[in-house]
Amino acid sequence: MTGTWPPLAATALAAALTYVCCIRPMRRHDACSPTPHEHTGQSIDEEIRRTREELDLLRAHSAAETDPAAAPSRRPETIRP
C-alpha cells in the first residue's frame, strides 16, 4: 500500500503544475507565446509575392529534375575490378 503513494503524489504534482503553468495562462489568454504580428495589407501582399516566387523557383527546379535532357544519367556506375 505504501508503494502506491509516491506515484500518486507525483501524478498529482504533475497535474497541478500543468494547470498552473499551462492551462490557467491559456484560459486568461496569456498563453506563453509572443504577441501576434500585426499584419497590414502591404505585409500580406509582400508575403504572397515571396511565396509565389518561391513556388515558381520550386516548380522550375522540379521541371529541371524531371527533364531527361537536363538531368544527368541516374544509372549506377559499373564497378570495375
Side-chain angles (χ1 to χ4, degrees), residues 1 4 6 11-12 14 17 20 23 27 32 37 39-40 51 59 61 63 65 72 79-81:
M1 180 74 178
T4 59
T11 302
L17 285 174
V20 170
I23 297 171
R27 290 182 69 198
C32 300
H37 179 69
H39 291 291
T40 62
T51 304
R59 284 181 178 160
H61 182 70
E65 284 184 353
I79 299 174
R80 295 181 185 162

Side-chain angles (χ1 to χ4, degrees), residues 1-72:
M1 180 74 178
T2 59
T4 59
W5 288 107
L8 289 175
T11 302
L13 180 62
L17 285 174
T18 300
Y19 175 77
V20 170
C21 295
C22 298
I23 297 171
R24 190 177 64 168
M26 285 190 299
R27 290 182 69 198
R28 288 187 297 153
H29 303 293
D30 289 337
C32 300
S33 63
T35 57
H37 179 69
E38 293 182 18
H39 291 291
T40 62
Q42 184 178 8
S43 67
I44 292 173
D45 290 341
E46 179 68 22
E47 184 68 26
I48 290 171
R49 184 189 61 76
R50 282 189 304 217
T51 304
R52 284 185 178 156
E53 287 176 357
E54 183 179 1
L55 180 61
D56 290 341
L57 180 66
L58 290 171
R59 284 181 178 160
H61 182 70
S62 176
E65 284 184 353
T66 58
D67 184 15

